[in-house]
Amino acid sequence: LLPNQGWECDLDHIDRIISKEEENAHDVSTKVVRGIVVNNPSNPTGAVYSEEHLMQIVKLAEKWNVPIIADEIYGDLVFGNNVFHPMANVASKLGYTVPIITASGLGKQYLIPGWRLGWLIFQDSRHGSIQDVKKGAQRLAQVVLGASRLAQVVIPAVLDPCNESDVAAIAQWKENLYTQVEDQAALLCGLLKECQGLEVIHPQGAMYAMVKIHARLFDEDIYDDVSFMKLLLEEENIVVLPGRAFGMSQEEERDAPVFRVVFCAPEDVLRCASERISSFCSRHAL
């Protein structure tokens, strides 16, 4: 990912990875790269990808004949003028050249994460590339019946309300929720910007933000994301997740260490957390 470009995917890097794997594969059965997963809006970065960038991802997938798994659990939870573009819509505009498997659910957009209720939507390519994949997923879905019936009953009412009053009520509820989440994001990010040695990358959506650690501005006890996280927990009882928890390499973290924060907590909790982080940064600043 490219933090200085809104956490967009480094498409050249992905292309090189796939190219290298393809060279080492003897046939289809030994092919390592089987698909591209795109999480938009993003956890952990809070990025919301433009339609143009999503089109570039689709074209890359077409080049290498791989499907795209679109993790869109946060749906249209975006801030300001940012716009959520479903990957399936983008692929359809490009002529259905790439199959899209969209994963979504009620957990994040409707605040019922513990129920773990979601779904997959299969949009095949014009070549019928994933017919067998869809059949296999349907068989697996019949093996484990773990979703709550109570939550399942809600799905039609939420996704396809039967009257105008329900449509209006759901729209108003989502608008209020999204406004509240955006306000909480602005509050926490604004407070963290004042912390010595930190640089906040403002989120465009979802429920998270990434914060850069300028390790050179801290004492020798803080030299990367993990050391920052451990000391913050020990000294201030605040938990953040280091960038390495999301697959960033040690080399990437050494050059530009980051950590993730969540801004879904009440205002007083966010203020208390930011005050503790500020105290911690001041204590270890050079």
Side-chain angles (χ1 to χ4, degrees), residues 3-4 192-201 210-228 252-259 277 280-282 284-286:
N4 295 326
L192 292 180
K193 280 183 180 179
E194 302 302 318
C195 296
Q196 291 179 270
L198 300 184
E199 178 185 347
V200 181
I201 304 174
M210 295 292 266
V211 182
K212 289 184 180 180
I213 306 166
H214 294 290
R216 68 183 185 280
L217 301 179
F218 292 105
D219 60 30
E220 61 183 10
D221 292 331
I222 296 176
Y223 47 86
D224 62 5
D225 59 327
V226 174
S227 61
F228 184 96
E252 290 173 317
E253 276 298 322
R254 188 162 50 246
D255 295 336
V258 296
F259 63 87
I277 294 173
F280 173 82
C281 291
S282 297
H284 287 278
L286 293 176

Side-chain angles (χ1 to χ4, degrees), residues 213-253:
I213 306 166
H214 294 290
R216 68 183 185 280
L217 301 179
F218 292 105
D219 60 30
E220 61 183 10
D221 292 331
I222 296 176
Y223 47 86
D224 62 5
D225 59 327
V226 174
S227 61
F228 184 96
M229 177 269 296
K230 286 182 177 179
L231 276 178
L232 182 62
L233 177 59
E234 292 173 3
E235 296 181 12
E236 296 292 346
N237 201 28
I238 296 292
V239 178
V240 298
L241 281 181
R244 216 172 302 174
F246 302 100
M248 295 186 74
S249 67
Q250 289 190 12
E251 292 75 18
E252 290 173 317
E253 276 298 322

